[in-house]
Amino acid sequence: MRSRDPEIRIRDFKEVALGLTEKQAVKEAKRCIQCKKPMCVTGCPVEINIPAFISAIRDEDITGGLAIIRKYNMLPAICGRVCPQENQCQGKCVLGKKKTAISIGALERFAADYEMIKGLSQKTNMSKPNGHKVAVIGAGPAGLTVAADLARHGYQITIFEALHEAGGVLTYGIPEFRLPQKIIDREVEYVKSIGVEIKLNWIIGRTQTVDELFEEGYRAVFVGVGAGSPRYMNIPGENLNNVYFASEYLTRVNLMKAHQFPKYDTPVKRGKRVAVIGAGNVAMDAARTAARLGAEKVYIVYRRTRSEMPARMEEVEHAKEEGIELLFLSSPKEIIGDEHGYVKAIKCDAMKLCEPDASGRRRPECSGEDFILEVDQVLMAIGQTSNPILTKSVKGLNLWGAGYIEVDDEGRTNIPGIFAGGDIATGAATVISAMGAGKRAARAIDDYVMGRKKVKSREPEMAETEG
Amino acid sequence: MFKVLHKEAVAPQVDALIIDAPYIAGHAKAGNFIVLRIHEKGERIPLTIADSSLDKGTITLLFQKIGKTTEELGTLKKGDFIRDVAGPLGHDTPVKKYGHAVLVGGGIGSATLFPILKALKEKKNKVTVILGARNRELLVWEDRFAEIADETILTTDDGSSGKKGLVTEALKEVADSTDIDVVLAVGPIRMMQAVAELTRPYKLKTYVSLNPVMVEGTGMCGACRVSIAGKTKFACIDGPEFDAHDVDFEEIAHRLNFYKDEETESLEKFRKKKCKGKCKSKGTKESSGQVVK
Ligand SMILES: Cc1cc2nc3c(=O)[nH]c(=O)nc-3n(C[C@H](O)[C@H](O)[C@H](O)COP(=O)(O)OP(=O)(O)OC[C@H]3O[C@@H](n4cnc5c(N)ncnc54)[C@H](O)[C@@H]3O)c2cc1C
Ligand SMILES: Cc1cc2nc3c(=O)[nH]c(=O)nc-3n(C[C@H](O)[C@H](O)[C@H](O)COP(=O)(O)OP(=O)(O)OC[C@H]3O[C@@H](n4cnc5c(N)ncnc54)[C@H](O)[C@@H]3O)c2cc1C
Ligand code: SF4
Ligand code: FES
């Protein structure tokens, strides 16, 4: 895919990847050999009929192709941009074995952008209103998907969102240069256009409780609150000035527009020499944001090596093009402050890979040496975990691991009428998996409310008298 | 959008706003705060719910105009709107029957203490309130406290009202003369630190309500992290109240200074815009002494 010149793009927040032209897209689509048993589909978490949509693009029926994608994926413009395709569909494409896999993500993005550029609007078949109210908590990809699917089925949906804007991580986490806000806004507008109400600044567990939602007549509740709480390392110096969790740093810039300070009131500190700890998408986003805020040097500091980096391949490539230096086998153990309590350097253990273990994985271990990297800002991106506000407020809700909600394959929790999906059920994952979870939960909620499956109802007596 | 129903100047540089927010009012407990953003370009700032009315569906905010956002908030009038108000946030103050509770407030700390006083009285505690300020004018809501508290002690640096001296001196007198079961202090960091140091040798259970910089206020960013007994905690969801004897006050004081330059820049820009160059001589006088260029 074409992308903007690194020299120019690191001076602004405009989108980096440019997408395909119609000509390029059709040409790429023609390369697909339309496998009888398409491996790409097996790699797709929501099993999009990939050869079918590619074949429509090949025949220059772009909107037809998009309609096929939409059957499975509600957010193609977003997923086309942020899915880790190299581990999913593209990673499985048979052509990849010998030559280059089909750029499935780029084609998906092209189909979705085509509609936007041509000013077409999404057609929706709406069922008649069925009079049932369902509450959705959290306006991230999981919540938006549940809301849209159920609204189309005639449900009256209200989304409750804690922040002052909808979109979840798409809005407050993933930067503009990777996923322009107007694309998220368009999806949010679509969800509203089919009758979904979004209540912002509404923290379930605090502003209202889940029990109160049921009392207000909501028949079911979907919990899609994500896993937004930053993890920390517990190393000395973590609370020095100019050490940010990536979550805060990105929220300041993406949600609060701190890069436009003082036009916007929220400030963010611009580091000159920045170390980003971690190597996932969050780390890449933080590093590339730091570069755009004027850092002279940005390091990614990672314990393992290139092949273990969890970030999308494209982001790693883009980061490298933008001059970001990757330091592998480096495990930070201390952040060193100056006499005023500001970051001065980080101290890292130099790691080496030990012999492969039973699983074939080579774990890093300390080589016994350490080194000091002089930096004036540290961004920590070592992962996120569950946020307890909602989960703690629901009595008896079964949780697992670090406070994630236990669900079955369809998103049912142990409490009848309460469903969950996305990062809060799986731990930090991907946009497409959150969306897929939303789709399955929407079906389960429909079954539950319509009494189609033998599930315990919340209020047995009431259900009987109603029936 | 949240409507301003009432606006009042309480002391120089301190205003109170009553806001229509029925759901927040319906769930607010002593010790809770909200996060607000005045308009689309605004910053999110935390303010304690100083009072709330379930019947009227309103919350009261009491704030000191010390920077851009609080100063701008002070320009709002009855009938104006605040774009975003989210809450109630933070842990509820652990309110139970302690026996004798002493509340110590410095300056705007009254905002946090007032609902706690009400809650403690509901649990039939004996409550002594100590409020301090630089001078008489800067005392906030002392009459409201006096109405409910068993005893209200005022201190001012210049002696213009109550006792001349610091709140810690008054607290020491109380501690030396009567039994105290719990102390709760809210105010400037250095004042809370002094209270913590004072009560430590007395082995008095002491809570302070910390006020670090926050962004979203729901535990998702870590901006508000503080060190409590050597462990990192998020003030917005693990606090804002903590055991005073476990708090690393130096760290908070230090972190609160982090954005000094930006805060000054933002405030100067705001004042310049507000004056549109006309009020160089006027208007800045009554402000907190910063010079507008
Ligand atoms: C910086 C960053 C970059 C990423 N990059 C990628 C990528 O390139 N590709 C990819 O596939 N994935 C990426 N991810 C992961 C992906 O964004 C998440 O897996 C996905 O957004 C999860 O969706 P969700 O709907 O479960 O939750 P979220 O997107 O987290 O949304 C949850 C929403 O719920 C709200 N909420 C929380 N608590 C409450 C409450 N009590 N009441 C009301 N609302 C509440 C939150 O404010 C939030 O808006 C990235 C994540 C981050 C942080
Ligand atoms: C949980 C909590 C509850 C609070 N309740 C109240 C309240 O009821 N009434 C009230 O007036 N204030 C309260 N504060 C403080 C209030 O949030 C800050 O005064 C406000 O954010 C300042 O914003 P500003 O843009 O006006 O000033 P800024 O320009 O951001 O700051 C101006 C000056 O204030 C200092 N400052 C900045 N943030 C804070 C802070 N959080 N605490 C103390 N000093 C700060 C700065 O160091 C600077 O010197 C509370 C803070 C917290 C965390
Ligand atoms: S695996 Fe590759 S070639 Fe085969 S259908 Fe999928 S995209 Fe086309
Ligand atoms: S303000 Fe963001 S975690 Fe507390």
Side-chain angles (χ1 to χ4, degrees):
Chain A
M1 207 188 319
R2 297 168 302 147
S3 50
R4 292 170 57 225
D5 181 345
E7 296 280 317
I8 297 167
R9 74 189 191 219
I10 63 159
R11 282 184 234 132
D12 63 39
F13 278 77
K14 291 196 203 110
E15 191 170 16
V16 167
L18 290 171
L20 304 174
T21 61
E22 186 165 352
K23 224 162 137 193
Q24 286 170 324
V26 172
K27 191 169 159 212
E28 181 68 3
K30 282 185 178 149
R31 278 206 313 124
C32 170
I33 55 173
Q34 295 288 316
C35 303
K36 282 261 151 49
K37 279 197 188 141
M39 291 311 291
C40 52
V41 179
T42 67
C44 174
V46 297
E47 294 173 33
I48 298 178
N49 190 343
I50 292 167
F53 100 72
I54 293 183
S55 137
I57 294 179
R58 186 192 56 202
D59 300 340
E60 294 176 40
D61 174 16
I62 316 296
T63 41
L66 184 60
I68 295 170
I69 303 174
R70 279 239 169 84
K71 272 195 220 151
Y72 308 83
N73 180 350
M74 197 201 116
L75 308 167
I78 294 168
C79 291
R81 286 173 165 80
V82 304
C83 271
Q85 290 98 358
E86 69 273 15
N87 304 328
Q88 303 180 358
C89 52
Q90 264 163 250
K92 290 273 165 71
C93 171
V94 290
L95 296 184
K97 289 214 182 101
K98 295 235 170 77
K99 291 181 289 181
T100 334
I102 300 287
S103 298
I104 302 170
L107 289 174
E108 180 182 28
R109 170 183 164 168
F110 166 75
D113 287 1
Y114 180 88
E115 182 188 70
M116 185 160 51
I117 292 159
K118 298 275 161 173
L120 307 170
S121 59
Q122 189 177 151
K123 277 195 219 71
T124 312
N125 293 325
M126 299 284 292
S127 305
K128 269 219 274 333
N130 62 19
H132 295 303
K133 294 204 295 180
V134 171
V136 172
I137 309 172
L144 290 171
T145 304
V146 173
D149 274 8
L150 289 175
R152 289 189 201 115
H153 275 83
Y155 286 86
Q156 187 188 333
I157 308 293
T158 309
I159 303 183
F160 300 89
E161 166 57 48
L163 290 173
H164 59 248
E165 246 171 74
V169 170
L170 308 177
T171 294
Y172 76 77
I174 304 180
E176 184 80 17
F177 54 82
R178 204 147 71 79
L179 179 61
Q181 185 62 36
K182 68 169 195 285
I183 289 175
I184 306 153
D185 290 346
R186 189 175 145 92
E187 296 303 340
V188 172
E189 282 313 313
Y190 166 74
V191 169
K192 287 197 206 155
S193 77
I194 58 174
V196 172
E197 183 191 7
I198 304 183
K199 289 195 170 173
L200 300 172
N201 299 311
W202 212 289
I203 307 148
I204 301 298
R206 301 310 315 247
T207 317
Q208 256 188 314
T209 63
V210 169
D211 279 344
E212 286 166 351
L213 295 178
F214 283 114
E215 280 161 27
E216 284 188 359
Y218 289 96
R219 298 291 307 275
V221 169
F222 175 81
V223 182
V225 296
S229 197
R231 282 219 189 105
Y232 38 91
M233 287 194 292
N234 272 321
I235 58 172
E238 245 172 343
N239 295 344
L240 287 168
N241 280 352
N242 242 336
V243 178
Y244 281 103
F245 289 127
S247 321
E248 179 190 348
Y249 187 72
L250 291 171
T251 301
R252 282 183 182 269
V253 175
N254 299 327
L255 183 70
M256 305 309 298
K257 314 267 180 278
H259 56 300
Q260 295 186 51
F261 178 87
K263 190 173 150 205
Y264 283 76
D265 290 343
T266 306
V268 66
K269 289 285 183 184
R270 295 163 184 256
K272 283 207 175 64
R273 293 172 55 82
V274 182
V276 180
I277 303 174
N281 286 322
V282 185
M284 294 303 132
D285 286 344
R288 298 174 66 199
T289 299
R292 282 162 177 75
L293 290 180
E296 286 153 18
K297 188 75 207 169
V298 183
Y299 300 96
I300 294 273
V301 181
Y302 184 41
R303 233 150 44 93
R304 303 172 188 272
T305 62
R306 172 73 184 88
S307 51
E308 287 91 7
M309 284 178 83
R312 291 180 75 224
M313 200 163 63
E314 191 185 8
E315 303 329 318
V316 181
E317 292 313 316
H318 281 159
K320 285 206 291 205
E321 287 167 17
E322 289 165 12
I324 287 153
E325 192 172 325
L326 308 176
L327 294 181
F328 297 119
L329 292 171
S330 309
S331 181
K333 61 175 173 186
E334 186 186 346
I335 305 171
I336 303 166
D338 64 12
E339 64 275 24
H340 307 294
Y342 282 72
V343 174
K344 182 169 89 173
I346 56 172
K347 193 186 238 178
C348 301
D349 277 322
M351 312 297 276
K352 61 174 191 203
L353 290 179
C354 47
E355 292 306 306
D357 59 14
S359 65
R361 203 175 146 107
R362 304 183 64 187
R363 306 189 128 274
E365 60 174 20
C366 290
S367 65
E369 316 229 316
D370 58 21
F371 65 94
I372 284 182
L373 188 65
E374 278 181 28
V375 291
D376 62 2
Q377 187 169 61
V378 175
L379 308 176
M380 291 191 292
I382 54 155
Q384 293 90 244
T385 179
S386 68
N387 177 322
I389 290 187
L390 181 112
T391 49
K392 273 201 183 150
S393 77
V394 184
K395 272 205 204 80
L397 185 64
N398 280 357
L399 306 178
W400 67 272
Y404 303 113
I405 301 177
E406 200 175 277
V407 292
D408 67 11
D409 289 345
E410 266 75 53
R412 297 183 195 90
T413 68
N414 65 309
I415 302 179
I418 303 185
F419 298 77
D423 282 4
I424 190 57
T426 55
T430 58
V431 173
I432 188 72
S433 59
M435 205 219 65
K439 280 215 163 294
R440 291 191 299 277
R443 250 175 270 142
I445 291 170
D446 186 31
D447 285 346
Y448 170 79
V449 175
M450 294 304 170
R452 255 183 245 123
K453 272 191 190 153
K454 279 213 181 314
V455 281
K456 237 184 8 194
S457 163
R458 258 189 96 72
E459 292 136 303
E461 300 101 315
M462 258 182 64
E464 264 167 38
T465 45
E466 267 178 18
Chain B
M1 296 288 246
F2 295 77
K3 194 170 185 178
V4 175
L5 301 176
H6 180 79
K7 150 86 179 287
E8 189 182 312
V10 178
Q13 295 305 314
V14 177
D15 284 353
L17 286 181
I18 297 180
I19 294 165
D20 182 31
Y23 283 91
I24 300 175
H27 294 83
K29 295 260 170 57
N32 292 162
F33 63 93
I34 52 94
V35 168
L36 65 78
R37 189 177 69 141
I38 303 174
H39 49 69
E40 215 210 310
K41 294 195 171 65
E43 190 171 13
R44 291 170 69 101
I45 66 156
L47 292 174
T48 306
I49 302 172
D51 205 359
S52 59
S53 163
L54 202 59
D55 307 340
K56 300 198 188 102
T58 59
I59 57 168
T60 304
L61 305 176
L62 196 58
F63 58 96
Q64 188 171 14
K65 294 180 272 184
I66 52 163
K68 153 86 207 270
T69 305
T70 44
E71 211 163 273
E72 188 165 14
L73 199 59
T75 64
L76 297 188
K77 297 178 295 292
K78 182 177 167 178
D80 285 347
F81 287 90
I82 299 176
R83 188 178 171 114
D84 306 296
V85 181
L89 295 164
H91 265 265
D92 308 343
T93 303
V95 173
K96 59 177 186 193
K97 170 104 185 148
Y98 290 100
H100 183 202
V102 179
L103 305 184
V104 187
I108 197 69
S110 307
T112 310
L113 290 179
F114 188 66
I116 297 175
L117 168 66
K118 288 211 292 193
L120 285 171
K121 281 313 294 177
E122 266 165 35
K123 294 269 182 226
K124 308 262 185 296
N125 287 283
K126 177 183 170 201
V127 187
T128 303
V129 175
I130 304 172
L131 295 180
R134 258 182 295 139
N135 59 47
R136 176 198 191 121
E137 282 204 303
L138 298 173
L139 283 166
V140 175
W141 277 10
E142 70 279 13
D143 45 339
R144 287 209 193 190
F145 280 91
E147 244 171 63
I148 306 173
D150 294 276
E151 189 187 8
T152 304
I153 303 168
L154 305 179
T155 70
T156 48
D157 294 2
D158 63 358
S160 53
S161 183
K163 295 185 180 163
K164 183 169 156 69
L166 302 170
V167 283
T168 38
E169 292 160 17
L171 175 61
K172 186 165 186 326
E173 274 177 37
V174 177
D176 287 335
S177 59
T178 52
D179 284 339
I180 301 176
D181 297 293
V182 68
V183 174
L184 214 147
V186 188
I189 291 293
R190 295 306 176 191
M191 178 223 118
M192 292 192 280
Q193 186 172 20
V195 169
E197 288 320 316
L198 175 77
T199 61
R200 200 189 296 272
Y202 288 82
K203 300 210 165 39
L204 266 178
K205 187 80 187 160
T206 306
Y207 293 100
V208 288
S209 182
L210 300 181
N211 51 9
V213 171
M214 294 188 173
V215 180
E216 31 60 58
T218 59
M220 308 228 283
C221 74
C224 64
R225 65 194 189 274
V226 289
S227 291
I228 307 297
K231 289 219 169 65
T232 296
K233 299 275 175 196
F234 291 179
C236 67
I237 52 169
D238 303 321
E241 270 159 30
F242 294 98
D243 188 322
H245 301 140
D246 291 340
V247 174
D248 184 341
F249 287 102
E250 296 304 324
E251 185 183 279
I252 301 175
H254 184 65
R255 287 178 63 84
L256 272 174
N257 276 333
F258 187 35
Y259 295 102
K260 266 254 131 70
D261 296 345
E262 288 80 1
E263 285 156 0
T264 312
E265 181 181 350
S266 196
L267 182 62
E268 281 178 2
K269 186 179 157 238
F270 175 70
R271 287 192 176 155
K272 222 186 240 165
K273 201 170 146 199
K274 206 168 94 187
C275 296
K276 292 190 188 85
K278 278 183 295 192
C279 50
K280 256 189 189 140
S281 51
K282 225 179 130 226
T284 49
K285 247 191 246 147
E286 72 231 283
S287 67
S288 55
Q290 267 153 343
V291 184
V292 181
K293 277 184 214 132

